[in-house]
Amino acid sequence: MPGIRTAAQAKAWLEHQGKSVQAFAREHGVDPATTYQVLAGRKKGRRGEAHKVAVLLGMKDGIILAEAESQNEDQECGS
């Protein structure tokens, strides 16, 4: 797997594909504001939607759980 992208590299990657941040967010079903915040470094992508965005942009190595799976894990951990 290629290395982790920096924010600047992720922006360049989007530009290389001819995609706006808005288009990327729509395509992946994520919040555009969160995507901008991850790219700007205001959100680190540690959990939740920001984590998903960072992984999709290649800025973080990680997995994206389906919504149902993550809810089930939350319930199991809380019991």
Side-chain angles (χ1 to χ4, degrees), residues 61-79:
D61 186 29
I63 59 170
I64 300 170
L65 297 175
E67 291 298 318
E69 288 179 40
S70 63
Q71 288 175 355
N72 287 341
E73 285 186 5
D74 289 345
Q75 290 173 353
E76 289 173 7
C77 291
S79 298

Side-chain angles (χ1 to χ4, degrees), residues 32-45:
T34 301
T35 306
Y36 280 113
Q37 291 169 342
V38 169
L39 285 168
R42 288 189 296 274
K43 289 198 175 193
K44 303 298 181 198

